Amino acid sequence: MSERRSLCPICLAASLWLALSPGRALACDVALVLAMDVSGSVDAYEYTLQAQGIAQAIRDPQVQDALVHGRAALAVVQWSGAMEQSVTLPWTRITEPADAQAVATRVQVMPRAHAGGNTAVGEAIRVSAALFAQVGDCVRWVIDVSGDGDENESFTLGTERVAAYRRGIQINGLAIEAAGQSQSITNFYNRHVVTPGGFVITARQHDDFARAMREKMLRELIAPVAALPGPEPALAPPAPPLREYAALDMFLRMPAR
């Protein structure tokens, strides 16, 4: 059974679990930063597909239900080269369906913050990670980095990924591949961007972005269900003890090729 088809039973389990836990529903389960690539490799049409794709994913009934039940906090960062990162949607709490609809509308029409720059993935992570100081009440902190290229400026990715991981931040990726069977961006994100316990969803060109974003958000928003007793394995294993950080640092600091 494909990963996408298996999401429905998980969503049903999530709804049941949340319904039986009214006290838990009052907490913020997850704070999620959507860090979208607006570098020079993304043209105006592709930027529009990304913005519309995020909005479409937020409007999806299952995603919206997960956002509301988890009282999620959402923010959007647009990133490109060094010193080209902008928070275009500050933290917004989703406590009812109207909140999700309002966020979707804002994202769909938000102007592009940068154009023509390079690709500084590490700087995108640094700016995104700094935002979590404002949402200390949220149980999980997640950065989703989406992009169609590897790092070619600043080269701080290894350092920033280690720093985020040590703060308990999970980094996931949405890799936008070219047409065909290439997996170069997916491989780069798997090796150099996501943290241990994180994952990468692949979009086949920007036209596939909305589908991939929906799948990614469902997996992020319902992750707590994986920790409940049952056949589903945990999606995000606990962080290693401090004595393991030396080996982890060596792995995470490997330079991108």
Side-chain angles (χ1 to χ4, degrees):
M1 179 181 294
S2 70
E3 181 183 59
R4 187 177 181 189
R5 290 182 60 190
S6 67
L7 288 172
C8 240
I10 300 176
C11 287
L12 292 174
S15 298
L16 176 61
W17 178 54
L18 289 166
L20 294 175
S21 308
R24 181 180 175 83
L26 297 177
C28 168
D29 278 336
V30 59
L32 175 62
V33 178
L34 303 177
M36 57 186 293
D37 181 2
V38 294
S39 62
S41 60
V42 178
D43 63 27
Y45 175 66
E46 291 166 342
Y47 169 78
T48 299
L49 288 176
Q50 287 188 78
Q52 291 179 346
I54 294 173
Q56 184 176 328
I58 294 172
R59 291 191 180 106
D60 177 83
Q62 287 183 325
V63 173
Q64 191 172 119
D65 186 63
L67 287 167
V68 171
H69 280 295
R71 303 182 75 84
L74 283 183
V76 176
V77 170
Q78 294 186 37
W79 62 274
S80 181
M83 301 181 68
E84 292 180 305
Q85 300 83 34
S86 298
V87 180
T88 50
L89 178 74
W91 287 119
T92 304
R93 304 290 181 132
I94 311 296
T95 60
E96 56 183 281
D99 296 332
Q101 293 291 348
V103 167
T105 299
R106 289 177 64 184
V107 170
Q108 185 167 345
V109 299
M110 67 183 177
R112 182 170 183 160
H114 309 282
N118 289 319
T119 307
V121 186
E123 292 300 303
I125 292 173
R126 178 184 62 81
V127 170
S128 298
L131 297 177
F132 292 109
Q134 304 169 26
V135 287
D137 61 308
C138 294
V139 177
R140 293 183 296 123
W141 295 350
V142 181
I143 299 173
D144 167 57
V145 182
S146 59
D148 65 359
D150 56 11
E151 185 164 70
N152 61 19
E153 189 173 37
S154 254
F155 302 103
T156 59
L157 176 53
T159 300
E160 297 301 338
R161 182 169 64 159
V162 169
Y165 183 71
R166 284 178 164 171
R167 290 182 59 198
I169 299 169
Q170 178 176 327
I171 302 175
N172 302 323
L174 195 164
I176 307 170
E177 298 282 6
Q181 299 300 313
S182 172
Q183 291 288 307
S184 60
I185 308 304
T186 301
N187 293 337
F188 170 77
Y189 272 61
N190 270 316
R191 292 181 60 189
H192 303 292
V193 178
V194 303
T195 51
F199 62 90
V200 178
I201 299 293
T202 300
R204 188 55 60 184
Q205 298 188 292
H206 289 79
D207 304 71
D208 190 35
F209 187 86
R211 189 276 313 163
M213 178 60 68
R214 174 188 179 275
E215 181 175 337
K216 181 202 64 64
M217 290 187 72
L218 281 173
R219 184 166 172 181
E220 288 163 338
L221 293 168
I222 62 179
V225 177
L228 295 176
E232 293 290 340
L235 295 176
L242 289 175
R243 65 178 179 273
E244 296 182 17
Y245 273 131
L248 176 65
D249 283 355
M250 291 180 62
F251 169 73
L252 292 181
R253 291 177 185 276
M254 291 175 61
R257 299 292 183 185

